[in-house]
Amino acid sequence: AGNDVLDVDEQSAPVHPCVDPAPNVRCGAASDAAGRLSDSSNRGRTSVDLAAPGVDLRTLDPAGRTVRVSGTSFSAPLVARAAAGLLAARPGTDPATLAEAIRCGVRPSVPPNDTAGGGVLDVARAAEALSGSAGRPDGAAEPSRPCRGALG
């Protein structure tokens, strides 16, 4: 979604990838470890699908030193890793179904808000959504677009 503290739903110019209608594209915000939306992250009830950890993450710089980083550029790879793990567990899942499971498997943000698709990345819940054994998590905000029933 970006790091400009924008509500992407209210922008006159399109904010990519949030406006991409492809069913296999997800738009993500950054959250802290507790699930609170980052102060710097873009947001949007209908355009942003979920948030993922992207605040004060530890990584290595080019010299091999441990540094702390923040932003959606660091939360996006966590969503990609979640998708890779889900695909490894369910080979042959089509990309749109995989993306929908990730969106529908979010856990509530803290405090609950509707500015990032209703929740934070939760791989276990996404796996449940993919297997068709779970509905919306208790306490999660209704997504801006309804989740399909059994995804897998």
Side-chain angles (χ1 to χ4, degrees), residues 52-101:
V55 175
D56 205 26
L57 302 175
R58 284 191 287 175
T59 189
L60 297 176
D61 69 10
R65 295 178 301 245
T66 301
V67 295
R68 296 205 177 255
V69 295
S70 296
T72 57
S73 294
F74 303 100
S75 60
L78 296 178
V79 177
R81 172 59 183 102
L86 292 167
L87 187 57
R90 297 281 305 264
T93 301
D94 68 271
T97 299
L98 189 63
E100 186 73 353

Side-chain angles (χ1 to χ4, degrees), residues 6-137:
L6 300 174
D7 184 330
V8 297
D9 293 340
E10 297 177 358
Q11 301 308 303
S12 57
V15 178
H16 294 279
C18 301
V19 296
D20 192 324
N24 62 321
V25 173
R26 289 294 165 249
C27 179
S31 64
D32 66 15
R36 292 180 296 261
L37 199 61
S38 165
D39 291 339
S40 64
S41 183
N42 287 354
R43 55 207 72 228
R45 174 159 172 62
T46 60
S47 299
V48 178
D49 295 302
L50 74 158
V55 175
D56 205 26
L57 302 175
R58 284 191 287 175
T59 189
L60 297 176
D61 69 10
R65 295 178 301 245
T66 301
V67 295
R68 296 205 177 255
V69 295
S70 296
T72 57
S73 294
F74 303 100
S75 60
L78 296 178
V79 177
R81 172 59 183 102
L86 292 167
L87 187 57
R90 297 281 305 264
T93 301
D94 68 271
T97 299
L98 189 63
E100 186 73 353
I102 290 169
R103 185 178 72 85
C104 291
V106 298
R107 66 178 163 79
S109 55
V110 179
N113 70 70
D114 60 4
T115 58
V120 179
L121 175 68
D122 186 314
V123 180
R125 289 183 187 212
E128 290 173 0
L130 189 58
S131 70
S133 64
R136 288 292 305 165

